[in-house]
Amino acid sequence: MVKIGILGYGNLGRGVEAAIKKNDDMELVAVYTRRDPASLTIKTEGVAVKSTADLDTGKEDIDVLIICGGSATDLPEMTPKYAAMYNVIDSFDTHAKVPVHFANVDEASKKAGKVGIISCGWDPGMFSINRVYAHAVLPDGKDYTFWGKGVSQGHSDAVRRIEGVLDARQYTVPVPAALDAVRNGENPELSTRQKHTRECFVVAEEGADLARIENEIKTMPNYFADYDTTVNFISAEEMKAEHSGLPHGGSVIYSGESSDGTKHVIEYSLKLDSNPEFTGSVLAAYARAAARLNSEGVSGAKTVFDIAPAYLCAQSGEELRAHLL
Amino acid sequence: MVKIGILGYGNLGRGVEAAIKKNDDMELVAVYTRRDPASLTIKTEGVAVKSTADLDTGKEDIDVLIICGGSATDLPEMTPKYAAMYNVIDSFDTHAKVPVHFANVDEASKKAGKVGIISCGWDPGMFSINRVYAHAVLPDGKDYTFWGKGVSQGHSDAVRRIEGVLDARQYTVPVPAALDAVRNGENPELSTRQKHTRECFVVAEEGADLARIENEIKTMPNYFADYDTTVNFISAEEMKAEHSGLPHGGSVIYSGESSDGTKHVIEYSLKLDSNPEFTGSVLAAYARAAARLNSEGVSGAKTVFDIAPAYLCAQSGEELRAHLL
């Protein structure tokens, strides 16, 4: 059994908890929280909720710690810290800061003789793997990543911060014409605006200036200004009934040539009912890999690029070759 | 530079040759043939065509030998034989005989301190990888593989062996309703007939009994009897104009749950202008991996399951993390 600890019990932590239940060779040992452990009730019966103070002793009996924190401030601090004590894994997704994060985790985990896997999920994660395989097989080509249709939590949060907004949900939607052109192997040059549109559902305070809110959303730098955005004002009831899930997905499409004029299109796509549950499922599979690699004497920081597919599976090499090759 | 030898110069050997030209860090050293080398002209200028007798010395200056033979009789003999002398790679695709082939290659390559990668291509190969990743991430689910629309060379050959047939091309076509049901996450039980249809284009001898030919095709055991097959008789000119390519492709679709009722659909699909060129491209990428693994002291038989994505790439870990993660 792979003994798992989960650090943080938000959407992602609960997604990992669900994933562990689907893996017969994994056992959830404890959920660790910075809050008062007594304030937290988890879904898995008989499993302890503990304080991060327990974790900080470095003596918890876990094979892998799955760190479910935010990339902005939590993970840059937490992952190297706990990599010095445990095999760890996170879903760090601030692309520009990956080199620093990787180096920090690498140093800590190597010193400790542990494995630290960073940036695990679907993007970065499964999408990254597919970009790499495609580039490796067809070096003369181009990759495109489309996200959605799905809920962007960062963009939803940004809308919620606008004055007069009670609640908001933002969907990222790929532009069908762009998808078609890429799937046809046309290798188009696409601007940000040509690739995705943004669709907002907003619950406003009674009497709020809706035109101002709509304008503030549509002109918000970085988040919306470069996109065609639609804003729909709805009731709190409709928000709850129609937009309470966190579906997501998208496609990595690669178009390349093996010789002049001989084209190939590779597409990897995901349709996810729940972004955090799928991300949690990827983390669980890589937690198995972390435990196995470390038991073979491997240490240091790794990404999905560094780990052979067989390490993610409970089955033996013989079983995989017999049933899935 | 990775120094490559190609054994066999049919469609697949030429596909590998094309792939090597697309990889700046690879060099084609020689093409080896069982025929008279003088009878063979290859596309790469300045590269030697040699006899397999040269290869049999075990002294050829190559990093990896890519063995482009048939799975029925060539590879079971050739791959273990040359694994005892060189790093080797093949596209062995007789599923039932993989365990024996793997064991034979493993024994020979371990003794020689070499790496032998078997069953590389797109199925087995890229499709297998995607089955494994999907099962690992969502253990509670089901995989479906659809092939086509594309040319099956085995089925085309089977039709050509019928009396009165001058030439034939067989396309395997997935059934759209089956694809839709799987993409919708319905996890249907599908019979062979429900998954694929077969479409034949046949050039018959003048005066041949077309009804007999059509009947012989449609009732042929293993190849056609279990499918809905259509037969179209065409002229030799039309065959040449419309059916001279070897396009193929297909999809691996996986549908699974992360918790009760929370569904996810993963799809990996290929649209290939040329089956042998794409297969050759996969072989080239894994040849790079074979050379690199062996330079690190690894030996023995491997499949795509055992090799981390980064090993396929010319780029460093830093470059991959910076640009593709």
Side-chain angles (χ1 to χ4, degrees), chain A residues 22 272-274 277, chain B residues 140 185 256-264:
Chain A
K22 292 286 190 186
L272 311 176
D273 271 2
S274 162
E277 284 199 16
Chain B
D140 181 8
E257 288 193 350
S258 53
S259 62
D260 286 354
T262 304
K263 285 190 175 192
H264 310 285

Side-chain angles (χ1 to χ4, degrees), chain B residues 6 15 59 67 72 105 113 118 121-122 134 141 147 149 184 232 234 243 291:
Chain B
I6 295 173
K59 294 190 173 158
I67 306 179
V105 174
I118 67 159
W122 58 277
W147 296 276
K149 183 179 175 176
N184 287 337
N232 308 283
I234 60 173
H243 305 283

Side-chain angles (χ1 to χ4, degrees), chain B:
Chain B
M1 297 293 276
V2 184
K3 289 180 278 185
I4 306 279
I6 295 173
L7 172 52
Y9 198 68
N11 284 327
L12 183 55
R14 289 192 296 270
V16 172
E17 181 184 30
I20 291 169
K21 288 194 183 136
K22 293 286 189 184
N23 285 281
D24 296 338
D25 64 335
M26 290 187 191
E27 181 191 353
L28 178 60
V29 170
V31 169
Y32 300 92
T33 178
R34 288 174 290 189
R35 293 182 264 172
D36 173 11
S39 72
L40 207 64
T41 307
I42 66 170
K43 285 188 187 158
T44 314
E45 276 182 37
V47 168
V49 178
K50 294 183 156 189
S51 158
T52 48
D54 293 308
L55 208 50
D56 293 353
T57 64
K59 294 190 173 158
E60 291 295 289
D61 183 24
I62 53 178
D63 296 316
V64 187
L65 179 68
I66 302 181
I67 306 179
C68 302
S71 293
T73 54
D74 294 340
L75 299 177
E77 183 245 324
M78 285 176 168
T79 311
K81 172 180 172 178
Y82 292 110
M85 310 173 197
Y86 307 99
N87 296 313
V88 296
I89 175 164
D90 75 20
S91 59
F92 185 76
D93 67 359
T94 310
H95 195 269
K97 294 183 180 168
V98 163
V100 170
H101 190 56
F102 185 89
N104 290 343
V105 174
D106 195 47
E107 191 188 347
S109 57
K110 271 193 182 136
K111 263 189 210 160
K114 300 290 182 183
V115 168
I117 305 178
I118 67 159
S119 303
C120 241
W122 58 277
D123 197 9
M126 304 312 294
F127 274 14
S128 321
I129 290 171
N130 278 280
R131 286 187 285 263
V132 157
Y133 275 120
H135 276 276
V137 169
L138 296 174
D140 181 8
K142 194 165 154 59
D143 70 82
Y144 295 83
T145 301
F146 291 93
W147 296 276
K149 183 179 175 176
V151 174
S152 163
Q153 302 208 245
H155 286 77
S156 300
D157 289 344
V159 175
R160 277 190 211 104
R161 285 191 293 265
I162 292 174
E163 205 194 309
V165 170
L166 290 174
D167 198 4
R169 194 60 45 109
Q170 192 270 183
Y171 294 90
T172 306
V173 186
V175 174
L179 271 173
D180 287 347
V182 171
R183 283 184 179 135
N184 287 337
E186 295 169 20
N187 276 6
E189 291 294 331
L190 296 169
S191 67
T192 298
R193 191 178 299 273
Q194 286 171 318
K195 283 184 76 186
H196 297 93
T197 54
R198 299 199 175 277
E199 210 176 321
C200 301
F201 294 86
V202 178
V203 181
E205 284 173 11
E206 221 179 287
D209 180 347
L210 302 187
R212 177 197 45 88
I213 291 174
E214 180 164 345
N215 185 58
E216 277 193 45
I217 294 172
K218 289 185 172 177
T219 57
M220 195 187 294
N222 302 317
Y223 285 90
F224 293 99
D226 298 334
Y227 298 85
D228 289 334
T229 301
T230 54
V231 177
N232 308 283
F233 290 97
I234 60 173
S235 67
E237 293 69 37
E238 189 178 342
M239 179 66 80
K240 197 178 168 189
E242 303 292 333
H243 305 283
S244 61
L246 292 170
H248 218 315
S251 299
V252 172
I253 309 177
Y254 189 91
S255 165
E257 288 193 350
S258 53
S259 62
D260 286 354
T262 304
K263 285 190 175 192
H264 310 285
V265 178
I266 305 170
E267 177 165 354
Y268 178 81
S269 68
L270 295 173
K271 277 188 296 185
L272 311 176
D273 270 2
S274 162
N275 182 353
E277 284 199 17
F278 188 79
T279 303
S281 299
V282 177
L283 285 166
Y286 278 93
R288 179 185 289 116
R292 199 175 293 175
L293 284 165
N294 192 241
S295 75
E296 293 177 2
V298 173
S299 69
K302 307 282 168 197
T303 73
V304 294
F305 299 152
D306 307 310
I307 297 170
Y311 278 92
L312 310 188
C313 300
Q315 299 98 313
S316 68
E318 286 81 359
E319 290 174 298
L320 294 179
R321 288 191 294 275
H323 302 296
L324 298 175
L325 192 65

Side-chain angles (χ1 to χ4, degrees), chain A residues 236-297:
Chain A
E237 292 70 37
E238 190 178 342
M239 180 65 82
K240 198 178 166 190
E242 304 291 333
H243 305 284
S244 61
L246 292 170
H248 218 316
S251 299
V252 171
I253 309 178
Y254 189 91
S255 164
E257 288 193 350
S258 54
S259 64
D260 287 355
T262 304
K263 286 192 175 191
H264 310 284
V265 178
I266 304 170
E267 177 165 355
Y268 178 82
S269 68
L270 295 173
K271 277 188 297 185
L272 311 176
D273 271 2
S274 162
N275 183 351
E277 284 199 16
F278 188 79
T279 303
S281 299
V282 177
L283 284 166
Y286 277 93
R288 178 184 290 117
R292 199 175 295 176
L293 285 165
N294 191 243
S295 75
E296 292 178 2

Side-chain angles (χ1 to χ4, degrees), chain A residues 7 17 19 154 156 170 185 211 217 221 250 304:
Chain A
L7 172 52
E17 182 184 29
S156 300
Q170 193 269 183
I217 294 172
V304 294

Side-chain angles (χ1 to χ4, degrees), chain A:
Chain A
M1 295 294 276
V2 184
K3 288 180 278 185
I4 307 279
I6 296 174
L7 172 52
Y9 198 68
N11 284 329
L12 183 55
R14 288 193 295 272
V16 172
E17 182 184 29
I20 292 170
K21 287 192 183 136
K22 292 286 190 186
N23 285 281
D24 296 339
D25 64 335
M26 290 189 188
E27 181 191 352
L28 178 59
V29 169
V31 169
Y32 300 92
T33 179
R34 289 175 289 190
R35 293 181 263 172
D36 173 9
S39 72
L40 205 65
T41 307
I42 67 169
K43 283 187 187 158
T44 314
E45 277 181 35
V47 168
V49 178
K50 293 181 156 190
S51 159
T52 48
D54 293 309
L55 209 50
D56 292 353
T57 63
K59 295 189 174 160
E60 291 294 289
D61 183 24
I62 53 178
D63 295 317
V64 186
L65 179 67
I66 302 181
I67 307 181
C68 301
S71 293
T73 54
D74 295 339
L75 298 177
E77 183 244 324
M78 285 175 167
T79 311
K81 173 179 171 179
Y82 292 111
M85 310 172 198
Y86 306 100
N87 296 314
V88 296
I89 175 163
D90 76 19
S91 58
F92 185 77
D93 66 359
T94 310
H95 194 268
K97 294 184 180 167
V98 162
V100 171
H101 190 57
F102 185 88
N104 291 342
V105 174
D106 195 47
E107 191 188 348
S109 56
K110 271 194 182 134
K111 263 189 208 160
K114 300 290 183 183
V115 168
I117 305 177
I118 67 159
S119 302
C120 242
W122 58 277
D123 197 8
M126 303 312 295
F127 273 15
S128 322
I129 288 169
N130 278 280
R131 286 187 285 262
V132 157
Y133 275 120
H135 276 277
V137 169
L138 296 174
D140 181 7
K142 195 164 153 59
D143 69 84
Y144 295 83
T145 301
F146 291 93
W147 297 276
K149 180 180 177 174
V151 173
S152 163
Q153 301 208 247
H155 287 77
S156 300
D157 290 344
V159 175
R160 279 190 208 102
R161 286 192 293 266
I162 293 174
E163 205 194 309
V165 171
L166 291 175
D167 198 3
R169 194 61 46 109
Q170 193 269 183
Y171 294 89
T172 306
V173 185
V175 174
L179 270 173
D180 287 347
V182 171
R183 283 184 180 137
N184 287 338
E186 295 169 21
N187 277 6
E189 290 294 330
L190 296 168
S191 67
T192 299
R193 192 177 299 274
Q194 286 171 316
K195 283 184 74 186
H196 296 93
T197 54
R198 298 197 177 278
E199 209 177 322
C200 302
F201 294 86
V202 178
V203 181
E205 284 174 11
E206 221 179 288
D209 180 346
L210 303 187
R212 176 196 46 85
I213 291 175
E214 180 163 343
N215 186 57
E216 277 194 43
I217 294 172
K218 289 184 171 177
T219 58
M220 194 186 295
N222 302 319
Y223 285 90
F224 293 99
D226 297 335
Y227 297 85
D228 289 333
T229 302
T230 54
V231 178
N232 307 283
F233 291 97
I234 60 172
S235 66
E237 292 70 37
E238 190 178 342
M239 180 65 82
K240 198 178 166 190
E242 304 291 333
H243 305 284
S244 61
L246 292 170
H248 218 316
S251 299
V252 171
I253 309 178
Y254 189 91
S255 164
E257 288 193 350
S258 54
S259 64
D260 287 355
T262 304
K263 286 192 175 191
H264 310 284
V265 178
I266 304 170
E267 177 165 355
Y268 178 82
S269 68
L270 295 173
K271 277 188 297 185
L272 311 176
D273 271 2
S274 162
N275 183 351
E277 284 199 16
F278 188 79
T279 303
S281 299
V282 177
L283 284 166
Y286 277 93
R288 178 184 290 117
R292 199 175 295 176
L293 285 165
N294 191 243
S295 75
E296 292 178 2
V298 173
S299 69
K302 305 283 167 194
T303 72
V304 294
F305 298 153
D306 307 310
I307 297 171
Y311 278 93
L312 311 188
C313 299
Q315 298 97 313
S316 69
E318 286 81 359
E319 288 174 299
L320 294 179
R321 288 191 294 275
H323 301 299
L324 297 174
L325 192 63

